Structures are given as structure tokens and as C-alpha cells.
Amino acid sequence: MQKENQKTTHRDVVPSVLNFLSDEMFDGDYKEQPLYLQEIFELLMHTEFGDDINLRHKILSCLRTSRNLAEALSPFSEKQIYKACSRNRKLSQ
């Protein structure tokens, strides 16, 4: 059976999310991502491609997700997040 067709549990999902966050920590400041996306999307909306209603819905969805992630992690310092993600990586290996 393929891995994506197997039943998952809370214990399967949480390590995957932590691994994602851990990977993001090495790609720059995740807390600034909503602003970066907003700037990119605002420029895109002034083009011919930006005049597509479906694209605009996707853009708004991406911005909302990015803002929610940044907001959820805002109470924690980058050091705290890095430490938690590093600890999880060691446990999941």
C-alpha cells in the first residue's frame, strides 16, 4: 500500500509539521513571509495574469495561511522554535 493511502494519526502528523518548520528555519525569516508574499502578490495583481478571480482566491488563501502560521509562532523566539524542531528531528530519526 502506498504511504499516502495509509491511515495517519496525530502522532504521524505532528512530527511532519515540526520537520516542515525545522526546514523553514534554515530558509530565512519565516515571520516575514506574509509580508514577502503580500508584496509579490500585490505586484502580480497589477499584471494581466493578476486579473484572474481564481488566482486571486488562491493568493488570498496563501496569505491567510502564511499569516496564521506566523501568528501561531509569534509568542516564541526563533531560538525556542529551532530548539523544539531540532529535538523533534532527533526523536523522529
Side-chain angles (χ1 to χ4, degrees):
M1 180 164 56
Q2 292 181 353
K3 188 174 184 176
E4 63 267 10
N5 292 335
Q6 295 176 355
K7 276 195 161 190
T8 58
T9 66
H10 173 72
R11 289 189 175 128
D12 296 326
V13 174
V14 172
S16 294
V17 172
L18 289 174
N19 286 336
F20 165 76
L21 291 175
S22 180
D23 290 343
E24 287 300 306
M25 291 299 295
F26 297 108
D27 285 341
D29 189 1
Y30 66 91
K31 292 180 182 178
E32 297 298 320
Q33 293 300 314
L35 295 175
Y36 298 158
L37 284 172
Q38 183 174 347
E39 182 179 348
I40 292 165
F41 293 153
E42 284 176 355
L43 290 171
L44 178 63
M45 286 188 178
H46 293 292
T47 69
E48 183 179 332
F49 297 108
D51 197 26
D52 181 300
I53 192 71
N54 291 325
L55 178 61
R56 287 176 181 248
H57 285 292
K58 291 175 185 177
I59 288 170
L60 292 173
S61 177
C62 288
L63 282 170
R64 185 172 37 255
T65 300
S66 183
R67 283 185 189 129
N68 288 342
L69 175 60
E71 185 178 317
L73 297 175
S74 67
F76 308 103
S77 70
E78 288 188 31
K79 186 176 180 179
Q80 289 172 312
I81 296 167
Y82 179 79
K83 189 175 179 180
C85 291
S86 294
R87 197 175 306 141
N88 180 67
R89 278 195 170 241
K90 290 176 186 173
L91 293 174
S92 66
Q93 291 177 349

